[in-house]
Structure formats: structure tokens, C-alpha cells
Amino acid sequence: MAQRTTLIAGNWKMNASGEMAEVLTDGLKAWAGKPGVEMLVCPPFPYLGPVGAMIAESDIKLGAQTCHANASGAHTGDVAAEMLADLGCSYVIVGHSERRADHGETDSDVCAQAEAAHRAGLCAIVCVGETEAERDEGATLSVVTDQLAGSLPEGSPATSLVVAYEPVWAIGTGRTPTNNDVQDVHAAIRGLLCERFGNEIGNGVRLLYGGSMKPTNAEGLLALQDVDGGLIGGASLKAEDFIGIADA
Ligand code: 13P
């Protein structure tokens, strides 16, 4: 079976101030590390430079929360994947449900962003997840696999791709699917990846769970066969909680 390094990723979303970013990063640097576990922080754009400088000598990785599909041009307010690479990022989240909802990003937009990430040498964390209504209709597996099929660029190497399953109804709500439900969705995602890219790549891609992950439920979620880490929002804003998840 493929060895997959666990990835514990913090998505700060539009939170933190300069001072908070500094205090939080300082707290995270106290993490002793764990063999086979990689820690990633994804601050808002303005703090990428300062946070990157603070973690430069540590094992903590830097990532961004989105990128534009193009490398440059007249796109006011947007940021290219190449710029993120320049700032020391090694990851970028694409297709988060908040981006899909707030900015109308479609699967093909997300696919182009993931391609841009690869072009710039970044690992793309492609997010998918069903809404509560879709879940209630029993459509979770078809929604998630359709979204993923449309959001993945051709020829993604396993090392440049991470998939995050984030049920929209579990984000910031304190609710989570059962561990069995999470494993079922992750197994379907793994199946799709193997079908599309072959078993070697498909089994090498890391699959993260996201949505109300905390130190108290992380152990059970992270023990599931096809869960290779977490994408954490709220609990990534407290060093103690984020480290608690990384240690779980
Ligand atoms: P919460 O951990 O706050 O539920 O957010 C999850 C998320 O959206 C991470 O990208």
C-alpha cells in the first residue's frame, strides 16, 4: 500500500490580524513535530510574507487560500500561483466551498486554478463537498464525485495533488458526518482517482477531511483508512488546538 504522509492543514480564511498572525505562528513553532506528519498553514494573502519569514527555519509549510488561473495580466485584486511560489508557498487551496459560493467559482474554474498551481510548482488542495440539501436527498456520493471529476486537471501527479472533502453543512457548525460516512466518501474519491490516473497515482494522493475537526474528534477521523489528514478552519486559529489535532 502507498505510504502517505499525513497533512494537517490550517485554513485561516479571512481571519487574523498582523499581531494575531505573529502570536499564532509563534505558538505553532513550539510544535515538536511528529514522524510522518506535515503541518501546513494557509494565512490570508497579506500575512503570507510575514508568516513565511517566521516559519522559514521550521518544518511548517506555507500555503495560500486561492489563486488565479493566469500567470499575470489585467485581473485586479487577483493573485497568480507564480506569486505565491515566489513568497515561499508550496501549497494552494482551490475550490473551497466558500470560494464557490462567494465568487461563483465553477468546477472548470477550479480545474484551471489547479492547473495554474501545477504550472507554478505548487501542490493544489482541491476541495469538494455536498450541501445539506444534497445530503438529505442522498446525493452525497454523486455530487462529490461529479465535482471532483470536473475540478481535476489531466495528468495530475500524486505529489502535486491533495483532495479535501468538506461537507458544506459541517463547516463551522460543530457537526460532522459519522466516521463511516466520511470513510465511504473518501473511498469513492480514492476509486475515482485510481480510475482516472491509475492505481499508483490514485493511491498516492492524500485525502483530507474538513469540517468542524477539533482535537476531540480528530483521532477517530484521522484513523480512517482513506483519511490522510485534515483541513481545519476554526481550530487552526488556536495554536493549542491545531497542535492537538496534529498530535492526534
Ligand atoms: P471549520 O474547521 O471551521 O469547520 O472549517 C473547515 C474548513 O472550511 C476548512 O477549509
Side-chain angles (χ1 to χ4, degrees):
M1 209 177 101
Q3 276 303 105
R4 297 184 294 261
T5 307
T6 300
L7 177 62
I8 302 298
N11 174 10
W12 294 6
K13 307 191 179 185
M14 200 172 72
N15 292 303
S17 59
E19 192 190 342
M20 180 183 158
E22 199 177 319
V23 171
L24 178 53
T25 309
D26 216 33
L28 295 178
K29 282 169 70 182
W31 184 53
K34 213 180 171 191
V37 181
E38 196 179 3
M39 184 182 273
L40 166 70
V41 289
C42 302
F45 287 139
Y47 306 128
L48 283 171
V51 170
M54 283 184 75
I55 59 176
E57 305 291 311
S58 78
D59 289 332
I60 304 172
K61 304 274 168 55
L62 186 68
Q65 299 174 14
T66 187
C67 67
H68 194 273
N70 292 2
S72 63
H75 302 288
T76 303
D78 278 313
V79 174
E82 282 76 1
M83 296 169 181
L84 302 175
D86 242 9
L87 274 174
C89 289
S90 43
Y91 288 86
V92 59
I93 300 168
V94 294
H96 192 283
S97 58
E98 288 151 14
R99 298 285 314 172
R100 292 176 186 261
D102 292 354
H103 299 272
E105 291 180 359
T106 63
D107 291 344
S108 62
D109 294 330
V110 176
C111 181
Q113 292 165 350
E115 255 169 12
H118 293 162
R119 183 186 66 220
L122 302 179
C123 179
I125 302 178
V126 177
C127 301
V128 290
E130 83 285 4
T131 62
E132 182 148 36
E134 290 163 339
R135 173 181 180 249
D136 291 346
E137 283 166 21
T140 299
L141 290 184
S142 62
V143 166
V144 167
T145 50
D146 284 356
Q147 251 181 22
L148 189 60
S151 304
L152 291 177
E154 286 310 323
S156 294
T159 47
S160 306
L161 183 66
V162 169
V163 175
Y165 168 53
E166 299 204 308
V168 176
W169 55 272
I171 295 176
T173 59
R175 297 160 61 207
T176 57
T178 64
N179 289 349
N180 279 344
D181 286 349
V182 172
Q183 172 55 30
D184 283 350
V185 176
H186 280 228
I189 292 174
R190 178 81 62 211
L192 183 151
L193 293 170
C194 288
E195 206 172 287
R196 174 118 167 225
F197 301 119
N199 286 349
E200 196 179 330
I201 291 177
N203 286 321
V205 173
R206 288 173 292 173
L207 309 186
L208 312 184
Y209 168 77
S212 299
M213 197 187 256
K214 328 180 252 279
T216 47
N217 61 17
E219 200 174 334
L221 287 162
L222 294 171
L224 298 170
Q225 189 187 338
D226 284 298
V227 174
D228 309 306
L231 182 54
I232 297 119
S236 74
L237 296 172
K238 266 200 191 156
E240 199 185 310
D241 289 351
F242 195 52
I243 289 174
I245 294 172
D247 282 336

